[in-house]
Amino acid sequence: MTLRRLVVAAAVVDDLATPRLLLAARRSRPVELAGRWEFPGGKVDPGETPVDGLHRELREELGVQVELGAELLGPDDGGWNITDRHVMRLWLARIVDGEPEPLVEHDALRWLPAGEWGSVDWLDGDVRIVEALSDWVEQEAV
């Protein structure tokens, strides 16, 4: 069995209790991923907790500070296997300081309204997470 590297990401939303907008980030690199959309985040550095790594990545990639909400647990031992080498953990997040900008690895950001979260060309590993997030938010709203 191959050991997967931990990746942390945020479903940046407008409101943690009743999300209506989701922020998607379009990759500018590497070439094979350019033009596709993803959740902002990245790899956890050695000695970092997943939460600390996520806060660092969001500062570096978007220039924002966030409040974290619930973690969306995945079917792969609580995470989401996004490639054969990476497992992702994902939290809801709300921006508390800064205006998001595509600073690193992205060339565009887009706020997607509820019901249209799947309307962009997400990275293959993120598609089922977007679907699960949509279902989860709908269930929480009931």
Side-chain angles (χ1 to χ4, degrees):
M1 179 177 150
T2 304
L3 190 61
R4 288 185 164 86
R5 176 120 190 236
L6 179 60
V7 174
V8 290
V12 178
V13 293
D14 59 326
D15 185 272
L16 293 175
T18 55
R20 294 172 303 279
L21 297 172
L22 173 67
L23 186 67
R26 188 173 66 192
R27 301 248 353 166
S28 58
R29 61 180 191 206
V31 169
E32 61 272 14
L33 302 179
R36 306 220 32 217
W37 298 80
E38 69 176 356
F39 294 102
K43 296 177 182 83
V44 176
D45 287 341
E48 246 180 351
T49 68
V51 167
D52 288 343
L54 180 55
H55 282 288
R56 177 188 49 75
E57 285 286 345
L58 295 176
R59 279 191 309 274
E60 291 174 1
E61 288 188 5
L62 303 177
V64 299
Q65 292 182 355
V66 299
E67 170 190 6
L68 293 184
E71 181 176 1
L72 180 65
L73 297 175
D76 308 313
D77 293 324
W80 300 87
N81 292 336
I82 56 171
T83 71
D84 57 353
R85 297 183 332 213
H86 298 95
V87 61
M88 180 188 288
R89 290 181 61 190
L90 181 100
W91 284 264
L92 285 179
R94 181 181 66 85
I95 296 170
V96 294
D97 188 46
E99 192 64 37
E101 297 180 64
L103 301 174
V104 180
E105 296 181 1
H106 302 109
D107 62 5
L109 301 175
R110 185 180 298 169
W111 286 103
L112 304 172
E116 297 180 26
W117 291 358
S119 66
V120 297
D121 185 18
W122 290 94
L123 294 177
D124 294 342
D126 289 357
V127 171
R128 69 182 180 145
I129 303 171
V130 172
E131 292 168 353
L133 182 62
S134 295
D135 292 345
W136 186 59
V137 167
E138 286 176 22
Q139 290 173 5
E140 292 295 312
V142 174

